[in-house]
Amino acid sequence: GNSVTQMEGPVTLSEEAFLTINCTYTATGYPSLFWYVQYPGEGLQLLLKATKADDKGSNKGFEATYRKETTSFHLEKGSVQVSDSAVYFCALKGGSGGSNYKLTFGKGTLLTVNP
Amino acid sequence: EAQVTQNPRYLITVTGKKLTVTCSQNMNHEYMSWYRQDPGLGLRQIYYSMNVEVTDKGDVPEGYKVSRKEKRNFPLILESPSPNQTSLYFCASSWGQYTDTQYFGPGTRLTVL
């Protein structure tokens, strides 16, 4: 079945630092890939997505590229802000052996950005 | 405002006392789902519903029940809660099962003593 592995946190950065959170997946076919963000005390929000190989999802300065050859979808941001402090989840849906009825999530990465 | 609401937001209960967590969405979404979030495990799907009166098990359905009598509501029922069901629960909805974007509620933190 499908699975998602993302780098374990916590990750602590200073404001304006460069951010990378690694995410790799196991799935056959062409699943859709997502990054969700969970701010303290809130539910998850879709941050960005990509639905086919080489697609780049982007939002709020964050980017991730769907790399089928390396089965990866790493999240990057060039200059983080204190307000980016949150838990980030990589997720996938679908693919040949997977279900379109659910998202398969990674375990989440806690990001803390200090002023 | 388009949203998914859950009630209660926080609940402390005792083993064996039946409880219901409500979930409601105002976006006329067909697909709804329940997840639980546990430290080190991420989110795991409990049950999902593709439409009214159509529900199916997710990855961790044991100890839970659901119903979908109306399109907007998808309550999660714990008939006899146990301490291992202490968790953070999220309801989510989307237009359909093939739709990429799911909208999540704010979460319900449940503690079973």
Side-chain angles (χ1 to χ4, degrees), chain B residues 84-110:
Chain B
N84 64 12
Q85 293 178 299
T86 293
S87 187
L88 180 57
Y89 292 86
F90 289 101
C91 181
S93 71
S94 64
W95 290 109
Q97 69 265 33
Y98 298 109
T99 304
D100 291 332
T101 303
Q102 290 195 22
Y103 296 84
F104 283 78
T108 295
R109 184 165 294 282
L110 172 66

Side-chain angles (χ1 to χ4, degrees), chain B residues 39-56:
Chain B
L41 296 176
L43 281 83
R44 295 175 292 169
Q45 191 185 54
I46 303 170
Y47 268 95
Y48 64 91
S49 169
M50 289 179 282
N51 214 325
V52 176
E53 302 291 3
V54 182
T55 64
D56 206 349

Side-chain angles (χ1 to χ4, degrees), chain A:
Chain A
N2 293 347
S3 67
V4 175
T5 302
Q6 62 181 101
M7 65 184 285
E8 296 196 17
V11 174
T12 303
L13 296 173
S14 298
E15 207 164 23
E16 299 184 1
F18 184 85
L19 169 70
T20 300
I21 301 178
N22 290 337
C23 172
T24 58
Y25 67 89
T26 300
T28 55
Y30 293 87
S32 295
L33 303 175
F34 307 85
W35 278 100
Y36 277 82
V37 59
Q38 183 180 28
Y39 298 105
E42 298 183 11
L44 280 73
Q45 304 173 25
L46 179 66
L47 180 60
L48 54 84
K49 67 180 182 182
T51 57
K52 61 182 189 292
D54 299 324
D55 266 2
K56 176 185 284 187
S58 61
N59 185 26
K60 300 181 180 180
F62 291 89
E63 292 183 339
T65 301
Y66 189 146
R67 301 284 188 203
K68 184 152 178 67
E69 64 274 15
T70 55
T71 61
S72 65
F73 193 55
H74 304 320
L75 182 68
E76 297 182 336
K77 187 175 185 182
S79 176
V80 294
Q81 305 299 313
V82 172
S83 57
D84 293 327
S85 298
V87 180
Y88 292 82
F89 291 92
C90 185
L92 67 79
K93 187 169 78 160
S96 300
S99 170
N100 280 311
Y101 302 145
K102 70 172 184 180
L103 288 162
T104 298
F105 287 92
K107 295 181 180 180
T109 302
L110 173 63
L111 169 66
T112 301
V113 181
N114 295 318

Side-chain angles (χ1 to χ4, degrees), chain B residues 14-19 63 77-85 112:
Chain B
V14 295
T15 299
K17 186 176 181 181
K18 181 179 178 179
L19 66 91
I77 303 158
L78 284 72
E79 294 270 3
S80 182
S82 61
N84 64 12
Q85 293 178 299
V112 183

